[in-house]
Amino acid sequence: MPQMNHKRNVPDNSVYLTSVVAGILCLINLGSTTAFNIIVSLTLLDLLSTYMISIDWVLLKRLKGETLPAAR
């Protein structure tokens, strides 16, 4: 559970984790550019596949004539 810093309205644990992951990716880039490119490509593939899955489910519901849940 992220701990909020109410003074700055920022989840501190999330910021620390993001910084550590970015640092590790920089170290990988120093060691091997090919390995870095593979990791970035796989991450982008995962991100785009989550968008496609969401779009596919909405399209399937519309083709079946089902109603979509109310938006927030």
Side-chain angles (χ1 to χ4, degrees), residues 22 32 39 43 62-63:
S32 170
I39 290 171
T43 304
R62 288 191 181 222
L63 290 176

Side-chain angles (χ1 to χ4, degrees), residues 3-4 14 23 25 30 34 39-40 43 45 49 55 64 67:
Q3 303 246 333
M4 282 296 290
S14 299
L25 286 175
L30 288 175
T34 305
I39 290 171
V40 170
T43 304
L45 179 66
S49 65
I55 291 169
K64 285 184 175 181
T67 59

Side-chain angles (χ1 to χ4, degrees), residues 20-63:
V20 168
V21 169
I24 290 171
L25 286 175
C26 288
L27 292 176
I28 291 172
N29 193 18
L30 288 175
S32 170
T33 306
T34 305
F36 177 75
N37 288 334
I38 290 170
I39 290 171
V40 170
S41 297
L42 289 174
T43 304
L44 289 174
L45 179 66
D46 289 340
L47 181 65
L48 292 175
S49 65
T50 58
Y51 288 138
M52 288 304 299
I53 290 170
S54 300
I55 291 169
D56 288 344
W57 279 107
V58 170
L59 182 63
L60 182 65
K61 279 193 155 288
R62 288 191 181 222
L63 290 176

Side-chain angles (χ1 to χ4, degrees), residues 1-30:
M1 180 75 133
Q3 303 246 333
M4 282 296 290
N5 183 337
H6 294 289
K7 184 177 177 182
R8 291 178 287 182
N9 289 329
V10 174
D12 286 338
N13 291 344
S14 299
V15 172
Y16 298 145
L17 178 66
T18 304
S19 300
V20 168
V21 169
I24 290 171
L25 286 175
C26 288
L27 292 176
I28 291 172
N29 193 18
L30 288 175

